[in-house]
């Protein structure tokens, strides 16, 4: 205190209990003033108005499972009225470019949070962990090396990898009934032959396609002269 003075702080014209120092750390909104007294004389300061802005609520939820197969996704949602807030979605500690809305469609593994700002104050939401399970990378190789064959021949197709997965072959007409092994033999023409491979997490992917062309045998005759 300045020698010879005592002080009393006021909030909205009401004395603040215990606020009798030269300085006061204000945290509530309102009109503040201080009265300084020396002996029988006193003087009251002007009014200082303190505005306390609310910290925005930041709670997010997932609109579906957060563990899913590759090429799927889950919507993450901000669970409060947007009002005049601004948003920035984060993956780990890195801002997601362009993700400045109250919802976000997450398709990559990691921990997601949302930073909500009302212009002066901001807060960070709870974290949601997303786990994306890789789909199998399956291709088709021709065992015989030829997919254009003569009538009566057979082309043997094999899925790679050939173990650890379950398989279903199909062509332009749809699923080929019973063709559920890593290998498939074809002796008739067929378009867009592919194999769907599924791993132990029930995640599936389709291979490249192969067309099989069966050529008729040339007609032969023998004549005598």
């Amino acid at each position: 205190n300045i020698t010879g003075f005592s002080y009393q702080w006021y909030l909205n014209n009401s004395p603040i209990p215990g606020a009798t120092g030269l300085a006061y750390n204000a945290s509530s909104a309102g009109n503040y003033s201080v009265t300084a007294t020396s002996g029988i004389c006193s003087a009251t300061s002007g009014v200082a108005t303190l505005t306390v802005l609310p910290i925005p609520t930041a709670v997010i939820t997932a609109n579906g499972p957060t563990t899913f197969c590759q090429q799927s996704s889950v919507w993450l949602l901000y669970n409060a009225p947007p009002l005049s807030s601004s948003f920035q979605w984060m993956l780990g500690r890195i801002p997601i470019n362009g993700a400045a809305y109250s919802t976000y469609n997450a398709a990559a593994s990691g921990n997601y949070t949302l930073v909500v700002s009302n212009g002066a104050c901001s807060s960070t939401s709870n974290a949601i962990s997303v786990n994306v399970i890789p789909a199998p990378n399956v291709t088709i190789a021709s065992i015989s090396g030829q997919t254009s064959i003569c009538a009566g021949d057979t082309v043997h197709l094999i899925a790679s990898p050939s173990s650890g997965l379950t398989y279903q072959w199909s062509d332009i007409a749809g699923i080929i009934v019973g063709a559920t092994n890593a290998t498939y033999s074809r002796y008739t023409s067929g378009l867009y032959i592919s194999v769907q491979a599924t791993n132990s997490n029930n995640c599936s992917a389709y291979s490249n396609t192969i067309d099989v062309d069966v050529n008729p045998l040339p007609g032969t005759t023998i004549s005598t002269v």
Side-chain angles (χ1 to χ4, degrees):
N1 291 3
I2 297 176
T3 303
F5 287 87
S6 62
Y7 304 92
Q8 176 61 59
W9 289 87
Y10 293 82
L11 174 58
N12 299 326
N13 296 319
S14 297
I16 303 171
T20 57
L22 179 62
Y24 178 70
N25 187 22
S27 60
S28 299
N31 297 316
Y32 288 84
S33 61
V34 62
T35 297
T37 301
S38 177
I40 62 171
C41 298
S42 64
T44 300
S45 70
V47 173
T49 300
L50 176 65
T51 301
V52 178
L53 298 176
I55 297 175
T57 301
V59 178
I60 60 173
T61 59
N63 190 26
T66 56
T67 297
F68 47 82
C69 297
Q70 190 176 359
Q71 297 181 346
S72 294
S73 61
V74 62
W75 281 99
L76 305 180
L77 312 174
Y78 170 62
N79 285 354
L83 301 177
S84 59
S85 300
S86 61
F87 307 96
Q88 177 59 62
W89 289 91
M90 311 285 288
L91 179 54
R93 297 183 179 182
I94 301 174
I96 302 171
N97 187 35
Y101 302 95
S102 60
T103 61
Y104 181 71
N105 193 24
S109 293
N111 294 319
Y112 290 83
T113 56
L114 176 64
V115 178
V116 183
S117 174
N118 60 12
C121 305
S122 64
S123 60
T124 301
S125 74
N126 54 302
I128 292 180
S129 180
V130 172
N131 181 31
V132 180
I133 303 172
N137 184 17
V138 61
T139 59
I140 299 175
S142 171
I143 297 175
S144 64
Q146 297 290 333
T147 55
S148 180
I149 58 177
C150 295
D153 293 337
T154 301
V155 60
H156 303 285
L157 305 176
I158 184 170
S160 178
S162 59
S163 62
L165 304 171
T166 58
Y167 307 92
Q168 176 60 65
W169 294 84
S170 61
D171 59 16
I172 194 173
I175 290 175
I176 303 171
V177 177
T180 56
N181 295 321
T183 59
Y184 171 64
S185 297
R186 185 85 179 203
Y187 59 88
T188 59
S189 292
L191 298 176
Y192 306 114
I193 299 172
S194 65
V195 62
Q196 182 187 32
T198 305
N199 60 23
S200 59
N201 292 305
N202 204 35
C203 294
S204 299
Y206 283 92
S207 71
N208 55 310
T209 62
I210 288 182
D211 297 338
V212 172
D213 183 24
V214 178
N215 300 292
L217 296 175
T220 59
T221 59
I222 299 176
S223 61
T224 60
V225 294

